[in-house]
Coordinates of all heavy atoms in Angstrom, one line a residue:
R105 N 4.6 7.5 -17.9 CA 4.0 6.7 -16.9 C 3.6 7.5 -15.6 O 2.5 7.3 -15.0 CB 5.0 5.6 -16.5 CG 4.4 4.8 -15.3 CD 3.4 3.8 -15.8 NE 2.8 3.1 -14.7 CZ 1.7 3.6 -14.1 NH1 1.1 4.6 -14.3 NH2 1.2 2.8 -13.0
A106 N 4.5 8.5 -15.3 CA 4.2 9.4 -14.2 C 3.0 10.2 -14.3 O 2.1 10.3 -13.5 CB 5.5 10.2 -13.9
V107 N 2.8 10.8 -15.5 CA 1.7 11.6 -15.8 C 0.4 10.8 -15.9 O -0.7 11.2 -15.4 CB 1.9 12.4 -17.1 CG1 0.7 13.2 -17.5 CG2 3.1 13.4 -17.0
D108 N 0.5 9.6 -16.5 CA -0.7 8.8 -16.7 C -1.2 8.4 -15.3 O -2.4 8.2 -15.1 CB -0.3 7.5 -17.4 CG -0.1 7.8 -19.0 OD1 -0.5 8.8 -19.4 OD2 0.5 6.9 -19.6
R109 N -0.2 8.2 -14.3 CA -0.6 7.8 -13.0 C -1.5 8.9 -12.3 O -2.5 8.7 -11.6 CB 0.6 7.5 -12.1 CG 0.3 7.5 -10.6 CD 1.3 7.0 -9.8 NE 1.5 5.5 -10.1 CZ 2.4 4.7 -9.4 NH1 3.3 5.4 -8.6 NH2 2.5 3.5 -9.6
V110 N -1.1 10.2 -12.6 CA -1.8 11.3 -12.1 C -3.3 11.3 -12.6 O -4.2 11.4 -11.8 CB -1.2 12.7 -12.4 CG1 -2.1 13.8 -12.0 CG2 0.2 12.7 -11.9
F111 N -3.4 11.0 -13.9 CA -4.8 10.9 -14.5 C -5.6 9.7 -13.9 O -6.7 9.9 -13.6 CB -4.7 10.8 -16.0 CG -4.5 12.1 -16.6 CD1 -3.3 12.5 -17.2 CD2 -5.6 13.1 -16.8 CE1 -3.0 13.7 -17.8 CE2 -5.3 14.2 -17.5 CZ -4.1 14.6 -17.9
E112 N -4.9 8.6 -13.7 CA -5.5 7.5 -13.0 C -6.1 7.8 -11.6 O -7.2 7.5 -11.3 CB -4.5 6.3 -12.9 CG -4.2 5.7 -14.3 CD -3.0 4.8 -14.2 OE1 -2.5 4.5 -13.1 OE2 -2.6 4.2 -15.2
V113 N -5.3 8.4 -10.8 CA -5.7 8.8 -9.5 C -6.8 9.7 -9.5 O -7.8 9.6 -8.7 CB -4.5 9.3 -8.7 CG1 -4.9 9.9 -7.3 CG2 -3.4 8.3 -8.5
L114 N -6.8 10.7 -10.4 CA -7.8 11.7 -10.5 C -9.2 11.0 -10.9 O -10.3 11.3 -10.4 CB -7.5 12.8 -11.5 CG -6.4 13.8 -11.1 CD1 -6.0 14.7 -12.3 CD2 -6.9 14.6 -10.0
E115 N -9.1 10.0 -11.8 CA -10.3 9.3 -12.2 C -10.8 8.5 -11.1 O -12.1 8.4 -10.9 CB -9.9 8.4 -13.4 CG -11.1 7.7 -14.0 CD -12.2 8.6 -14.6 OE1 -11.9 9.7 -14.9 OE2 -13.4 8.1 -14.7
L116 N -10.0 7.9 -10.4 CA -10.4 7.0 -9.2 C -11.1 7.9 -8.2 O -12.1 7.6 -7.5 CB -9.2 6.3 -8.6 CG -8.7 5.1 -9.4 CD1 -7.4 4.7 -8.8 CD2 -9.7 4.0 -9.4
K117 N -10.5 9.1 -7.9 CA -11.1 10.0 -6.9 C -12.5 10.5 -7.4 O -13.4 10.7 -6.6 CB -10.1 11.2 -6.7 CG -8.9 10.9 -5.9 CD -8.0 12.2 -5.7 CE -6.9 11.8 -4.9 NZ -6.0 13.0 -4.7
K118 N -12.6 10.7 -8.7 CA -13.8 11.1 -9.3 C -14.9 10.1 -9.1 O -16.1 10.4 -8.7 CB -13.7 11.5 -10.8 CG -14.9 12.0 -11.5 CD -14.6 12.2 -12.9 CE -15.9 12.7 -13.7 NZ -15.7 12.9 -15.1
K119 N -14.5 8.8 -9.4 CA -15.5 7.7 -9.2 C -15.9 7.5 -7.8 O -17.0 7.3 -7.5 CB -14.9 6.5 -9.8 CG -14.8 6.5 -11.4 CD -14.2 5.2 -11.9 CE -14.2 5.2 -13.4 NZ -13.6 4.0 -13.9
A120 N -14.9 7.7 -6.9 CA -15.2 7.5 -5.5 C -16.1 8.6 -5.0 O -17.0 8.3 -4.2 CB -13.9 7.5 -4.7
T121 N -15.9 9.8 -5.5 CA -16.8 10.9 -5.1 C -18.1 10.7 -5.6 O -19.1 11.0 -4.9 CB -16.3 12.2 -5.7 OG1 -14.9 12.5 -5.2 CG2 -17.1 13.4 -5.3
N122 N -18.3 10.1 -6.8 CA -19.6 9.9 -7.3 C -20.3 8.6 -6.8 O -21.4 8.3 -7.1 CB -19.5 9.7 -8.9 CG -19.1 11.0 -9.5 OD1 -19.4 12.1 -9.0 ND2 -18.6 10.9 -10.7
G123 N -19.5 7.9 -5.9 CA -20.0 6.7 -5.3 C -19.9 5.4 -6.1 O -20.3 4.4 -5.7
Q124 N -19.3 5.5 -7.3 CA -19.2 4.4 -8.2 C -18.3 3.3 -7.6 O -18.6 2.1 -7.6 CB -18.7 4.8 -9.6 CG -19.7 5.8 -10.3 CD -19.1 6.2 -11.6 OE1 -18.3 5.6 -12.3 NE2 -19.4 7.4 -12.0
L125 N -17.1 3.8 -7.2 CA -16.2 2.7 -6.6 C -16.5 2.4 -5.2 O -16.4 1.1 -4.9 CB -14.8 3.3 -6.6 CG -14.0 3.4 -7.9 CD1 -12.7 4.0 -7.8 CD2 -14.0 2.0 -8.6
L126 N -17.1 3.3 -4.4 CA -17.4 2.9 -3.1 C -18.5 1.8 -2.9 O -18.6 1.1 -2.1 CB -17.8 4.2 -2.3 CG -16.8 5.3 -2.2 CD1 -17.3 6.4 -1.4 CD2 -15.6 4.7 -1.4
Q127 N -19.4 1.9 -4.0 CA -20.5 0.9 -4.0 C -20.0 -0.5 -4.3 O -20.3 -1.5 -3.8 CB -21.6 1.2 -5.0 CG -22.3 2.5 -4.6 CD -23.3 3.0 -5.6 OE1 -23.5 2.3 -6.6 NE2 -23.9 4.2 -5.4
R128 N -19.0 -0.5 -5.3 CA -18.4 -1.8 -5.7 C -17.4 -2.4 -4.8 O -17.2 -3.5 -4.6 CB -18.0 -1.7 -7.2 CG -19.0 -1.4 -8.2 CD -18.4 -1.4 -9.5 NE -17.8 -2.7 -9.9 CZ -17.0 -2.9 -10.9 NH1 -16.7 -1.8 -11.7 NH2 -16.5 -4.1 -11.2

């Protein structure tokens, strides 16, 4: 669960950087 959380955060940061999450 701890390691999966790291991957989740990295994916969210990637989407935010690409503007995907910030738009929605």
Side-chain angles (χ1 to χ4, degrees):
R105 176 74 188 93
V107 175
D108 289 343
R109 167 168 289 180
V110 175
F111 281 103
E112 289 168 5
V113 172
L114 289 173
E115 182 63 23
L116 286 169
K117 286 181 177 179
K118 179 181 176 181
K119 289 181 178 179
T121 301
N122 293 337
Q124 297 175 27
L125 283 179
L126 295 183
Q127 292 175 9
R128 295 184 61 197

